[in-house]
Amino acid sequence: MISPIKAILIGIGAMSLIGADSNEHHLITKITSIQLAERLNTSDGKGFYAEILTAITKNNRFRMDIQIQPLKRSLVDFAERKADCIWPIDRNLIVKLIGESSDILESDYVFEASQHIFTAPGQPAISNLKELAGKLVGVTIGSNVEKELRDASALVDPVPLQDNKINMLMAGHLFAIIGWAPDFLITFHDLKLGSPQYDKSLVLTKTRNAFVCHKSPVTINFLKKMNPAIKAFRVSAQSKTIAEKYGVSQIFGHEDISN
């Protein structure tokens, strides 16, 4: 027969285990999601990146508080730890923007984005930076490749918004624009402007879109579940369906997905 004292101790231990499991189940991860252009990630939770987030998390035990905010606000909230994680971005860029930190974690990547030189539909693609010499090229203000373009004797025109760059390109005011795939491809597809021309082999920069988080019990638990969910999504039929819907199968197709 178990003594009364031993029974009490066993009961306390069991309650502690139940409490720990319950606490883990109820951890809420605060995520700041970067607001982007139409059809990418809008303030009402729609677009390519929003659908990816929903697809990854909908069939898993995630408890999240998602705030979709402009880039600057998202960065400030993450830097000030008002948000546990930020999406979509990579760790290298976060460290560059808010400073080195050993406690910043990164999930498995969801897909790889690449930066290219785009010309208008029907125009020749640019295969070498030297082709931009003396030409007017649109870049986002603060672009990471502005110096490289100036070194190639391009005439750099800083433009505040992605849509502005596209409109100026289509109107013939710019010879070429710098942008990211799949983002620019989605925007062109959405605006029914045709397919912009670019040389896939001329990659200015690459980045892996992922969830970047401050290290904590909350985020360790979150990433423990998120990483297998991301891997499953990358090889799922739903990833292909989303890519086809937004006209970027060549960027996010199963044939391009590898671990």
Side-chain angles (χ1 to χ4, degrees):
M1 180 179 293
I2 300 176
S3 68
I5 293 177
K6 189 172 183 179
I8 291 171
L9 292 174
I10 291 173
I12 291 173
M15 289 176 66
S16 297
L17 290 174
I18 293 171
D21 180 70
S22 176
N23 287 338
E24 179 178 316
H25 180 71
H26 289 91
L27 291 176
I28 296 177
T29 307
K30 295 180 180 179
I31 297 176
T32 180
S33 182
I34 300 170
Q35 182 179 335
L36 301 167
E38 287 292 323
R39 296 275 287 173
L40 294 177
N41 197 32
T42 53
S43 59
D44 57 356
K46 295 179 181 179
F48 178 68
Y49 290 93
E51 286 196 33
I52 289 174
L53 178 56
T54 299
I56 292 171
T57 60
K58 71 175 184 178
N59 294 324
N60 297 278
R61 295 172 59 197
F62 290 101
R63 290 179 57 82
M64 302 176 296
D65 175 12
I66 302 171
Q67 299 292 325
I68 301 173
Q69 305 176 114
L71 174 61
K72 186 175 181 180
R73 181 73 257 169
S74 289
L75 291 172
V76 169
D77 279 5
F78 183 74
E80 295 179 352
R81 294 178 177 265
K82 293 177 182 177
D84 298 307
C85 303
I86 183 169
W87 153 263
I89 205 163
D90 74 348
R91 186 183 185 280
N92 290 338
L93 181 56
I94 281 291
V95 169
K96 184 183 294 185
L97 293 173
I98 72 172
E100 179 63 56
S101 178
S102 59
D103 79 335
I104 293 181
L105 306 176
E106 183 180 53
S107 72
D108 282 353
Y109 79 96
V110 180
F111 69 91
E112 189 172 68
S114 52
Q115 195 175 33
H116 299 274
I117 302 166
F118 292 95
T119 54
Q123 296 299 312
I126 303 300
S127 300
N128 192 303
L129 284 173
K130 294 179 181 178
E131 297 175 45
L132 299 178
K135 306 293 186 180
L136 196 59
V137 180
V139 301
T140 303
I141 293 174
S143 171
N144 62 309
V145 296
E146 185 171 339
K147 183 180 183 301
E148 188 176 1
L149 293 171
R150 293 188 188 280
D151 289 345
S153 299
L155 304 177
V156 177
D157 186 7
V159 182
L161 299 173
Q162 176 166 296
D163 288 355
N164 296 151
K165 283 194 292 185
I166 291 174
N167 291 335
M168 292 172 70
L169 177 70
M170 296 302 294
H173 299 314
L174 295 173
F175 176 75
I177 55 178
I178 306 301
W180 290 90
D183 296 29
F184 262 53
L185 302 177
I186 291 171
T187 301
F188 269 88
H189 183 265
D190 182 47
L191 295 175
K192 298 179 173 56
L193 295 174
S195 299
Q197 300 301 302
Y198 71 107
D199 186 337
K200 295 178 184 178
S201 66
L202 181 57
V203 178
L204 303 180
T205 316
K206 282 188 177 182
T207 185
R208 288 185 164 188
N209 285 291
F211 296 84
V212 177
C213 307
H214 291 291
K215 186 176 182 180
S216 71
V218 170
T219 58
I220 290 173
N221 179 69
F222 172 72
L223 293 177
K224 182 180 178 181
K225 293 184 290 185
M226 177 58 75
N227 286 335
I230 289 172
K231 290 178 180 177
F233 171 75
R234 288 207 311 256
V235 296
S236 71
Q238 192 164 14
S239 68
K240 185 176 182 180
T241 298
I242 292 173
E244 289 176 348
K245 174 181 176 180
Y246 287 93
V248 291
S249 295
Q250 69 272 44
I251 297 297
F252 196 37
H254 285 195
E255 67 277 7
D256 296 322
I257 297 174
S258 60
N259 192 14

